Amino acid sequence: MVAAGLPREARLRRPGDFAALRTSSGRAGGRCFHLRYRANDLGHARLGLAISKRVSKRAVERNRIKRLLRESFRRIRHQLPAIDLMVMAREQASGVPGPQLLAELDGLWKKLLVDRTESPGH
């Protein structure tokens, strides 16, 4: 059985990785989330999260959003191409029920998979 957690190599950790995504990357977005992505040479997808206090002053709410994001990414990461992803939550994400957030994330992952297969030079 595969471990259920999100391994260290599947996460963006260095500030330089986040900075690279801010400068030159593809974008996708929905009502609650904004996504930036770019190809990497690692052979697997990596996730970075940016959930600011602007989303919610309450740490409990921000942590709930992060848990949902990690869970959604963990389920789809083996289908994603070798890219670095940074997901930023919008203020609207606060207070939205978990199933709705997961549904929006599933839509974003699908949009990302379609974009990646249509434009291989990305």
Side-chain angles (χ1 to χ4, degrees):
M1 188 165 137
V2 178
L6 191 59
R8 192 177 175 119
E9 67 269 6
R11 297 190 303 249
L12 290 178
R13 297 187 312 274
R14 296 197 330 266
D17 295 334
F18 284 93
L21 281 166
R22 280 192 194 95
T23 57
S24 61
S25 60
R27 299 175 186 189
R31 189 173 78 87
C32 297
F33 298 104
H34 180 74
L35 196 71
R36 288 189 170 236
Y37 59 91
R38 65 183 277 173
N40 68 33
D41 300 329
L42 301 172
H44 58 83
R46 296 189 304 171
L47 174 70
L49 302 176
I51 316 299
S52 72
K53 281 189 179 177
R54 190 181 305 161
V55 173
S56 174
K57 298 279 186 245
R58 298 175 54 226
V60 171
E61 181 68 19
R62 293 192 309 271
N63 290 338
R64 180 184 76 93
I65 292 168
K66 288 186 222 178
R67 275 195 311 275
L68 288 167
L69 277 162
R70 283 191 297 263
E71 171 63 17
S72 180
F73 177 74
R74 185 186 63 76
R75 284 189 266 158
I76 191 101
R77 74 186 184 100
H78 294 295
Q79 298 170 36
L80 294 172
I83 55 175
D84 288 343
L85 289 158
M86 179 170 57
V87 180
M88 295 165 277
R90 299 182 195 270
E91 294 174 39
Q92 293 90 332
S94 179
V96 175
Q100 275 184 266
L101 290 176
L102 287 171
E104 181 175 329
L105 286 168
D106 288 344
L108 282 174
W109 303 140
K110 284 184 180 82
K111 189 188 300 186
L112 189 64
L113 287 167
V114 168
D115 286 353
R116 300 296 297 176
T117 55
E118 286 177 357
S119 58
H122 222 357

